[in-house]
Amino acid sequence: MKNLLARPIVRLLLAVVIAVVIIVAPISSSSFINYQLSLIAVFAVALLGLNIVMGYTGQVSLGQSAFLGLGAYIAAYGVRQEWPVVVIFLLCCIIPAAVGLLVALAAARLRGLALAMVTIALPIIGVPLAKRFPDFTGGSVGSTVSWLEAPEGSGLADDQFRYYLVVAIAVVLFILGRNLVRGRIGRAFAIVKSNEAVALSMGISPYRYKVLAFTIASLFGGASGFLYIAVVQYTSPETLSFATSINLVAAMVIGGSASILGTVLGAIYFVMLPVVAGQIDSSRTALISGAALLLVLFLLPGGLVSLPRRIAQLVRGGRGGSPRSRAAADRPPTGDTAPRTTAAPEAEKQPR
Amino acid sequence: MAAELVLRDINLRFGGIKVLQDVSMAVESGRIFGLVGPNGAGKTSLFNCISGHYRASSGSITIDGVETSGKSASQMTKFGLARTFQHPALQLHETVLENVLLGAHSTLAGGPVSWALRMPWTTRSEKAARTEAAELLERLGLGDVADTPAGELSPGLHKTIELVRALLSKPRLLLLDEPAAGLSHTEVEAFIASIRGVRDDFDLTIVIVEHHMGLISAVTDRVMVLDHGATLMEGTAREAQSDPRVIEAYLGQASTAEVSGEPAGA
């Protein structure tokens, strides 16, 4: 299966199939399904930002919902002021990014628990702040907009039009994000996560790259706030609540940390789990969500994205050996582990 | 052009602990210089001062006459310095090629915006770096495993990968921290055989911290022996090995306790 996926032609075909599914999906679906699919795209963007700072760069961020909320409020305000859509979108990116940059300039000096505390403060301060400025935010009631109706003559329903708009923006942002986490910048993020001393010796300032990762995360958070207003047409202090941040972190881990595909899976989980759990038993939604969370973490510590690898492991080597050897490979190499791996690769290396 | 490294009266204190005391040394351009001494003598601390990971409490460090003490470690690639660590810290799930490409960070073109947009100059410089990395891997015998995840290779090969990673930043001065630690006998022999060639091909000055005396005598032009953070003697490896003070520092008297704490790791 892995070899098959490595072939360019297979990858191309797969990409075409996925593209066709994405384009065809909303045509015959109900508006409820289109709404859910659009929400997946919305939260995928927020999760991508979170994954860049937390999954790829290893910096705890429990404040992503604050940027989502900020973006949503800016968009709602912009709609009320009847600004052009493009201007609103740009402001939804730039203002949260600027706020994120300012916070990161101070916060990126911290690590671990101290950093987590600073990022927690963002949604915790954000909620009362949003209630305090009703002229801008609509206070505790929130603000509703009526926006982005399908252009006449397009033949699209509003939900279909919004779906295409949101998915198109999300796809572009995902391409940019993917470009960032590969190559020069991505390698720098990865070494800042795993070893700052080595990063320094490569001419990489960990501080700068942490600030960069936070800024990008805030930008993506703000952009997802714009998409949120495009789909939901309503925002309230609830959008940026701390609980949303925690759920985003859970979704990121469940989808797959430091993985683009995992980010999409995480967004599907984030949006669909409450829906599915509500259908099973609407009075025990939280309980079912919690159970699902534990189940995934227990069976797939690498997230949903590691499912094919995990299945391959189980098929190949039984249950005992493989997970342990993977854990060993994740550990940094030390002198005393020498006998573990020396023999086989040596034999591989000699011939030729 | 290989760099010249001069240290004058380096002192390093952590609180009340004197880790290095008035250490001076001069490494001529193109030489291989050994830094030896018992555990806790301050060798790695001295490396950390040179590479900017520690800031010396006092003293001067110059590379080709340019003062570099006080500079941040992330600026040191600009002065042509590269170093390796006791523990290579590779990305074990990534391929060998992807791992060594990290070394090209400071030579690759473009910032975050250009890379997000995949501007032509970023792809061009990435391509050039990949070619160069592949050639370097070939040159040091890792051509066959370039596309293998680093985690599947032995610790000995990890050291070589780390060396290639360091070389890719095009240094003029290379600091190797215990390059033989964790290596098998054959791997040490291979390292000894290749290091002078590497020095000549890449026009390097090399400073090595190492416990393996066989390696030190085989490859170094000069050595300095550190003990308790101070210079014990400087000379050739042969002179060091027959110096009674060095023998005493290593084998010691039963009552001699280590007092200078060499901070763990790098």
Side-chain angles (χ1 to χ4, degrees):
Chain A
M1 181 177 161
K2 206 176 180 184
N3 290 339
L4 205 64
L5 273 177
R7 288 198 198 158
I9 183 80
V10 176
R11 280 172 167 258
L12 188 70
L13 275 174
L14 207 66
V16 169
V17 169
I18 292 172
V20 168
V21 168
I22 287 176
I23 291 167
V24 171
I27 291 176
S28 57
S29 305
S30 70
S31 64
F32 174 75
I33 289 179
N34 286 344
Y35 178 78
Q36 298 297 337
L37 290 176
S38 307
L39 274 187
I40 291 174
V42 170
F43 286 106
V45 171
L47 277 176
L48 178 60
L50 184 64
N51 219 336
I52 286 174
V53 70
M54 209 163 158
Y56 286 95
T57 317
Q59 305 305 305
V60 177
S61 172
L62 301 174
Q64 186 68 349
S65 65
F67 299 104
L68 172 74
L70 181 59
Y73 276 125
I74 294 167
Y77 185 78
V79 173
R80 285 205 306 278
Q81 303 299 313
E82 295 177 3
W83 292 340
V85 176
V86 177
V87 172
I88 297 176
F89 178 71
L90 289 178
L91 288 177
C92 284
C93 294
I94 293 166
I95 297 174
V99 173
L101 172 68
L102 282 177
V103 173
L105 283 172
R109 295 185 190 284
L110 308 169
R111 55 190 74 216
L113 286 175
L115 177 61
M117 282 313 179
V118 171
T119 58
I120 282 177
L122 295 171
I124 287 182
I125 296 170
V127 172
L129 214 57
K131 290 177 181 167
R132 188 65 70 80
F133 295 98
D135 292 343
F136 178 67
T137 64
S140 343
V141 185
S143 66
T144 310
V145 296
S146 181
W147 188 38
L148 294 177
E149 272 129 37
E152 294 202 19
S154 66
L156 293 170
D158 288 351
D159 58 283
Q160 290 168 332
F161 173 69
R162 286 170 194 154
Y163 168 90
Y164 284 125
L165 181 79
V166 164
V167 169
I169 293 175
V171 166
V172 170
L173 290 173
F174 260 74
I175 291 170
L176 295 179
R178 177 188 157 280
N179 287 348
L180 264 174
V181 298
R182 305 208 174 151
R184 180 174 190 253
I185 310 297
R187 286 189 292 264
F189 284 154
I191 198 68
V192 168
K193 178 185 180 180
S194 63
N195 193 318
E196 292 191 17
V198 173
L200 283 166
S201 74
M202 299 295 158
I204 294 161
S205 157
Y207 174 69
R208 281 186 178 199
Y209 276 85
K210 287 177 196 175
V211 171
L212 175 66
F214 263 113
T215 308
I216 294 166
S218 317
L219 190 151
F220 278 63
S224 81
F226 170 91
L227 301 178
Y228 184 85
I229 283 294
V231 175
V232 181
Q233 311 260 318
Y234 167 74
T235 184
S236 71
E238 201 58 30
T239 314
L240 55 91
S241 74
F242 179 54
T244 310
S245 272
I246 291 292
N247 287 333
L248 284 171
V249 171
M252 184 202 85
V253 174
I254 282 183
S257 171
S259 158
I260 294 289
L261 180 61
T263 304
V264 178
L265 296 175
I268 295 173
Y269 167 90
F270 183 89
V271 174
M272 292 317 290
L273 187 74
V275 176
V276 173
Q279 277 167 3
I280 296 170
D281 183 346
S282 57
S283 61
R284 295 195 172 79
T285 310
L287 194 69
I288 296 168
S289 307
L293 173 71
L294 287 176
L295 204 67
V296 173
L297 288 182
F298 185 70
L299 294 175
L300 292 167
L304 291 171
V305 74
S306 66
L307 186 64
R309 205 190 328 143
R310 185 87 174 111
I311 290 170
Q313 266 177 8
L314 291 176
V315 171
R316 213 184 324 120
R319 289 156 52 82
S322 303
R324 197 177 321 131
S325 67
R326 212 183 102 237
D330 286 342
R331 232 180 287 134
T334 52
D336 55 49
T337 56
R340 178 171 55 85
T341 46
T342 309
E346 271 301 297
E348 274 173 27
K349 197 188 144 217
Q350 295 305 334
R352 239 195 252 191
Chain B
M1 181 60 195
E4 182 188 41
L5 172 71
V6 179
L7 274 62
R8 272 194 211 90
D9 300 323
I10 295 296
N11 283 278
L12 179 67
R13 284 182 293 274
F14 290 128
I17 302 166
K18 289 180 178 172
V19 181
L20 294 169
Q21 292 176 57
D22 297 323
V23 176
S24 298
M25 71 184 214
V27 185
E28 289 170 39
S29 164
R31 292 296 165 87
I32 300 182
F33 192 93
L35 210 50
V36 294
N39 282 326
K43 307 180 294 293
T44 296
S45 296
L46 189 61
F47 257 30
N48 285 340
C49 288
I50 301 170
S51 68
H53 285 79
Y54 291 167
R55 186 161 295 188
S57 311
S58 67
S60 112
I61 301 167
T62 59
I63 296 175
D64 281 339
V66 182
E67 182 69 44
T68 66
S69 58
K71 294 269 190 276
S72 147
S74 63
Q75 291 176 287
M76 293 306 293
T77 48
K78 291 182 199 137
F79 298 94
L81 181 127
R83 68 168 287 180
T84 66
F85 293 85
Q86 285 174 29
H87 304 301
L90 302 177
Q91 310 287 7
L92 296 178
H93 54 280
E94 295 282 4
T95 65
V96 170
L97 182 67
E98 195 65 21
N99 265 290
V100 299
L101 278 170
L102 178 65
H105 181 88
S106 54
T107 62
L108 283 171
V113 176
S114 326
W115 277 86
L117 298 171
R118 278 288 186 272
M119 300 310 276
W121 53 89
T122 62
T123 32
R124 219 180 299 135
S125 72
E126 173 89 0
K127 212 172 166 188
R130 278 178 184 271
T131 313
E132 200 184 342
E135 281 168 12
L136 265 176
L137 287 171
E138 196 68 45
R139 162 85 179 68
L140 284 152
L142 288 174
D144 297 347
V145 294
D147 295 321
T148 309
E152 292 176 15
L153 303 175
S154 73
L157 294 182
H158 286 174
K159 291 274 185 185
T160 318
I161 296 167
E162 196 196 13
L163 178 63
V164 175
R165 183 171 76 181
L167 288 174
L168 210 56
S169 71
K170 303 202 168 77
R172 296 175 297 126
L173 171 63
L174 180 62
L175 310 182
L176 301 176
D177 198 350
E178 302 203 14
L183 262 61
S184 70
H185 185 70
T186 17
E187 286 168 335
V188 173
E189 300 274 286
F191 177 83
I192 291 173
S194 67
I195 193 67
R196 280 176 179 271
V198 167
R199 187 251 331 246
D200 295 339
D201 291 2
F202 296 93
D203 199 8
L204 292 168
T205 304
I206 299 178
V207 186
I208 302 181
V209 162
E210 186 50 68
H211 287 292
H212 194 295
M213 281 313 286
L215 184 148
I216 288 290
S217 352
V219 306
T220 59
D221 301 304
R222 273 188 97 69
V223 299
M224 185 165 87
V225 185
L226 280 178
D227 187 30
H228 297 315
T231 309
L232 203 60
M233 62 88 62
E234 196 191 317
T236 63
R238 183 188 295 268
E239 286 164 8
Q241 275 167 302
S242 54
D243 192 306
R245 290 170 299 177
V246 176
I247 294 164
E248 192 190 307
Y250 265 94
L251 301 177
Q253 291 143 344
S255 59
T256 311
E258 291 284 53
V259 285
S260 60
E262 184 176 357

